[in-house]
Amino acid sequence: GAVVSQHPSRVICKSGTSVKIECRSLDFQATTMFWYRQFPKKSLMLMATSNEGSKATYEQGVEKDKFLINHASLTLSTLTVTSAHPEDSSFYICSASEPLQREGNEQFFGPGTRLTVL
Amino acid sequence: LAKTTQPISMDSYEGQEVNITCSHNNIATNDYITWYQQFPSQGPRFIIQGYKTKVTNEVASLFIPADRKSSTLSLPRVSLSDTAVYYCLVGMNTGFQKLVFGTGTRLLVSP
């Protein structure tokens, strides 16, 4: 199947700093990518839908000024956590789908990024 | 997006068959049923997808009754490495639709 990567895999930062997480589709072009966050022993929560060349669509309750999403190319979407605070510590996961697949709505998930804000 | 209900957790032993049932009473005509597996600190991995009746691949089978209001993921002869969280999702057959994850089922396989 298609491969999605994330970078970094884990990051530790001080409170008040901004952190950028990259999501790349390695062997296909993804016009749409999704960003999730996951707290320990909880399910994935969709944060936003990232569309190449346009503004992201955020889920209710997700602050768009806090979580900046940029989908500047067909293989890269970035999530920037601005002015991070300890409550932003979480596991962030992206996913993408291969637009040429004719059947199935399989989405390919990245390995996730563990963010710890001190 | 149809809501799904799964058992929170299940326990099994190596070599046994495990069946995880998911309820999706308000599934729509165009919705497919997809199952994902997630290990700790990893992204979910696609297991299987189906629309009706039975689907089988190299790792699992998916049973869907005629009314499609539920589905059962069957894992034959589980091993310790099958310990994971399994999510049932329902949605249209397009990779562009956002996925709404339910609670998932935490499967623990013991020796």
Side-chain angles (χ1 to χ4, degrees):
Chain A
V3 179
V4 174
S5 70
Q6 284 184 239
H7 178 79
S9 58
R10 57 177 60 234
V11 56
I12 301 173
C13 69
K14 292 182 179 180
S15 185
T17 60
S18 294
V19 175
K20 178 184 286 188
I21 302 170
E22 295 184 346
C23 177
R24 293 182 184 272
S25 54
L26 297 186
D27 48 3
F28 66 100
Q29 294 183 331
T31 55
T32 301
M33 290 183 174
F34 301 91
W35 286 96
Y36 301 81
R37 66 186 300 183
Q38 185 176 33
F39 293 107
K41 296 194 182 298
K42 298 294 185 182
S43 184
L44 284 77
M45 184 190 77
L46 179 67
M47 299 176 66
T49 303
S50 172
N51 300 295
E52 188 269 335
S54 64
K55 291 183 178 180
T57 303
Y58 290 82
E59 294 299 303
Q60 189 174 12
V62 178
E63 301 176 59
K64 61 180 181 180
D65 294 329
K66 172 76 172 178
F67 300 99
L68 301 179
I69 292 173
N70 186 355
H71 195 155
S73 78
L74 286 172
T75 60
L76 173 65
S77 175
T78 60
L79 168 67
T80 301
V81 183
T82 62
S83 186
H85 290 283
E87 59 265 29
D88 298 322
S89 297
S90 188
F91 192 53
Y92 292 87
I93 309 170
C94 71
S95 73
S97 59
E98 189 172 13
L100 296 181
Q101 62 182 11
R102 283 174 285 181
E103 290 188 358
N105 62 353
E106 177 180 357
Q107 288 188 14
F108 302 96
F109 287 82
T113 297
R114 175 76 59 193
L115 170 63
T116 302
V117 185
L118 303 176
Chain B
L1 295 171
K3 180 181 177 180
T4 60
T5 303
Q6 305 173 231
I8 296 296
S9 64
M10 293 183 69
D11 294 321
S12 184
Y13 293 95
E14 283 188 292
Q16 289 189 335
E17 177 184 79
V18 171
N19 296 307
I20 306 175
T21 298
C22 177
S23 296
H24 27 80
N25 291 319
N26 58 340
I27 187 170
T29 302
N30 295 329
D31 285 343
Y32 279 66
I33 301 155
T34 310
W35 286 79
Y36 286 83
Q37 175 193 55
Q38 186 183 27
F39 297 113
S41 296
Q42 293 186 28
R45 184 175 71 101
F46 174 90
I47 300 176
I48 198 167
Q49 182 186 73
Y51 183 81
K52 62 179 180 180
T53 63
K54 176 184 175 182
V55 179
T56 297
N57 61 22
E58 61 276 10
V59 297
S61 293
L62 179 59
F63 298 92
I64 305 169
D67 65 5
R68 303 199 328 121
K69 294 184 182 299
S70 67
S71 59
T72 299
L73 173 71
S74 181
L75 304 173
R77 298 179 299 281
V78 295
S79 63
L80 297 178
S81 62
D82 292 317
T83 293
V85 179
Y86 292 83
Y87 294 98
C88 161
L89 291 96
V90 175
M92 289 179 63
N93 186 20
T94 168
F96 304 106
Q97 184 184 41
K98 61 183 182 182
L99 298 178
V100 178
F101 284 78
T103 58
T105 298
R106 191 173 298 273
L107 173 66
L108 174 63
V109 181
S110 301

